[in-house]
Amino acid sequence: MTAHDPAHVRHHMDRLAAEGIDVVRVSFPDLIGIDRSRDVLLEHLPAACAHGLAFCRAVYHTSPQGDVVPVSGGLDAGLPDVVVTPDPETLVTLPWEPGVAWCLGDTIDPATGAPAPESPRDLLRSVLARCADAGLHPVIGPELEYFLLEPDPAAPSGWRRHSEVPGAVYTAGLRADPDNHLLRTLRMLRDLGIGVVTGNHEFDGGQYEINLTHSAGLDAADRAFRFKSAVKELARKEGKLATFMAKPRNDAGGSGFHLHLSCDTPEGHNAFADPVAPFGLSDSARHAVAGILAHAPALAALLNPTVNSYKRFGPDTLAPWLIDWGLDNRSAMVRIPPERGAGTRLELRLGDAGANPYLAIAAVCGAALLGVQEGTEPPAPLEGYGYDPEKSRLLPRSLAAALDALEADEALAGVLGKDFTSSFLSYKRDEVQRFERHVTDWEFTEYAYHL
């Protein structure tokens, strides 16, 4: 019996009706991780599961400002449909929306009967299947930061930080969170059932971090996707704005999306653990680190996917600037936390919070897999405080450079798929071109008076 078996769907409907649910929100991620959704009345759920919900395929190619980017399969094909089928097994009730349940959907191209080439969820599935063929089953622990903003008509952007308290990193309570935003959010996310563990105020005023438990790759991506959507929705209900933008202000740091990666063997053991190997890391672990270092310039395109992303980088930012790794060293791009045995893992600190969780996890797993398959060893780990460009290669310094690196990295692009990579490059290069033509406030301030 499949999840879309009519009797199985009816079972879910009966359960939801008994809980007072009369609407099901069906969501899927677009290329940049925005949740695209429809609300379905409960009595129409069987039809939605049987036949799917029609969405314009070009929603994958739509910019945050609502422009349809000319990516193959969209405008050039006459704006055809994709069909999104709800997955009842992902149903959860929304604690902040009485009467509403939420589920994820899978997209199918009706012209081929196959998943849409741009589907981030299906891309991740394909990469995880390749890992499984190599005997590796990625386990991911996501860590995400965000800024909470409040309306302020006097501010240039119309928003001010929720709190301006400095030096409040690793704190909780009213000192830096004056109306207990974090406590309310943690409790709502707990009730949503997406595996939140801890939360704290981060380095800058109005910045928060909430950690999720680790789980298998696709489940971790689903939970990170839902986490970002839920945090933004909860903030909007209170008239605030939660943003996962990499660096929303000049006078503050950036927000990261750190990924903890380990791999299980088919027998369920940690494939990265080996107490007698160098650094207590198995061959697979060291090769995975080497793969991530080798493909880091291309990874940046997917883990740092906006023009704004590259304003988060730089010396002394605790955001990566160089392509290096270290043992429990937070100034390195890849950090190996001190736990060993079942807790052996690597932490990739490259990503920023604006990354699409599905694409970020797919890219990291793909690079690690290539390293394992190639059997390469990483260089000596970083010792001491990093950020010395004479010791390690620099990461790309702009989105345009990162996109060029992705296009040039035939091995990683091969793992991600030709069709997906082509669509992503076209979509993101349009963003670069639009930014390069846009006159910024900085330019006016810098030049207008004197020139």
Side-chain angles (χ1 to χ4, degrees):
M1 182 171 61
T2 69
H4 297 162
D5 178 86
H8 200 58
V9 173
R10 174 57 62 182
H11 169 75
H12 283 289
M13 288 182 63
D14 292 343
R15 175 177 63 82
L16 293 174
E19 295 174 5
I21 302 296
D22 64 345
V23 171
V24 175
R25 180 164 297 164
V26 181
S27 298
F28 68 98
D30 69 4
L31 275 180
I32 57 175
I34 294 174
D35 52 307
R36 303 293 181 174
S37 310
R38 285 186 188 273
D39 283 344
V40 180
L41 289 169
L42 183 61
E43 59 265 31
H44 294 285
L45 184 62
C49 290
H51 306 295
L53 301 166
F55 287 77
C56 180
R57 178 176 169 181
V59 73
Y60 281 119
H61 319 145
T62 301
S63 78
Q65 296 302 307
D67 302 310
V68 179
V69 179
V71 174
S72 178
L75 284 170
D76 63 334
L79 300 172
D81 276 350
V82 290
V83 175
V84 176
T85 305
D87 180 357
E89 299 307 305
T90 65
L91 278 164
V92 293
T93 57
L94 288 181
W96 59 88
E97 287 287 3
V100 180
W102 186 20
C103 76
L104 303 179
D106 289 311
T107 57
I108 297 294
D109 181 349
T112 64
E118 302 93 335
S119 168
R121 202 164 183 243
D122 286 294
L123 171 65
L124 178 55
R125 283 192 177 108
S126 70
V127 173
L128 294 174
R130 294 181 70 146
C131 292
D133 289 342
L136 297 173
H137 300 272
V139 176
I140 301 291
E143 293 182 1
L144 282 147
E145 299 168 340
Y146 62 94
F147 276 91
L148 186 67
L149 308 176
E150 297 178 341
D152 182 359
S157 66
W159 300 91
R160 67 171 181 270
R161 283 187 281 185
H162 174 242
S163 168
E164 298 288 348
V165 176
V169 64
Y170 289 135
T171 64
L174 298 175
R175 175 158 47 113
D177 183 10
D179 65 351
N180 271 330
H181 157 80
L182 184 61
L183 282 179
R184 288 194 308 280
T185 302
L186 274 176
R187 287 168 174 152
M188 285 290 186
L189 296 174
R190 174 200 61 198
D191 295 345
L192 185 62
I194 59 171
V196 296
V197 181
T198 63
N200 58 269
H201 194 276
E202 251 300 328
F203 188 86
D204 282 293
Q207 187 182 37
Y208 299 89
E209 176 178 342
I210 293 179
N211 296 331
L212 306 176
T213 188
H214 59 276
S215 67
L218 181 61
D219 180 70
D222 284 343
R223 292 184 298 108
F225 168 67
R226 287 180 135 164
F227 166 78
K228 293 178 70 173
S229 298
V231 168
K232 289 184 283 188
E233 188 79 357
L234 287 167
R236 291 296 178 94
K237 283 187 71 70
E238 298 181 354
K240 301 182 179 71
L241 174 66
T243 181
F244 291 86
M245 181 179 174
K247 187 176 170 66
R249 295 172 61 103
N250 286 314
D251 62 350
S255 291
F257 181 4
H258 298 167
L259 290 171
H260 290 251
L261 168 67
S262 62
C263 285
D264 282 348
T265 65
E267 296 76 28
H269 304 300
N270 189 327
F272 284 1
D274 185 345
V276 300
F279 314 116
L281 302 175
S282 70
D283 291 347
S284 292
R286 298 193 313 277
H287 299 334
V289 170
I292 290 171
L293 297 179
H295 297 282
L299 288 177
L302 294 146
L303 279 87
N304 310 107
T306 70
V307 168
N308 176 257
S309 295
Y310 296 83
K311 296 173 182 178
R312 168 178 165 263
F313 290 146
D316 303 318
T317 61
L318 288 183
W321 188 46
L322 305 174
I323 301 171
D324 52 13
W325 75 292
L327 303 173
D328 198 13
N329 190 328
R330 282 182 169 82
S331 65
M333 188 190 81
V334 178
R335 168 181 172 255
I336 308 298
E339 295 87 351
R340 291 296 182 268
T344 307
R345 64 193 186 278
L346 62 86
E347 178 193 14
L348 180 62
R349 300 173 62 82
L350 173 62
D352 66 66
N356 182 329
Y358 297 96
L359 303 188
I361 293 172
V364 172
C365 291
L369 174 63
L370 289 170
V372 171
Q373 290 175 331
E374 294 162 4
T376 50
E377 289 285 340
L382 171 70
E383 294 186 4
Y385 194 54
Y387 302 115
D388 183 350
E390 295 185 2
K391 293 182 178 179
S392 302
R393 291 182 298 152
L394 286 170
L395 284 160
R397 305 306 297 153
S398 68
L399 178 59
L403 294 172
D404 289 345
L406 175 60
E407 184 175 33
D409 193 331
E410 295 182 1
L412 184 61
V415 172
L416 299 176
K418 178 181 177 181
D419 289 340
F420 167 80
T421 303
S422 175
S423 294
F424 184 81
L425 289 172
S426 296
Y427 179 80
K428 281 295 170 178
R429 280 178 170 149
D430 177 84
E431 177 180 331
V432 173
Q433 292 168 3
R434 286 186 290 115
F435 178 74
E436 289 175 344
R437 293 193 299 266
H438 183 76
V439 178
T440 65
D441 292 343
W442 184 92
E443 291 168 280
F444 186 88
T445 301
E446 186 78 2
Y447 305 127
Y449 184 79
H450 294 289
L451 298 184

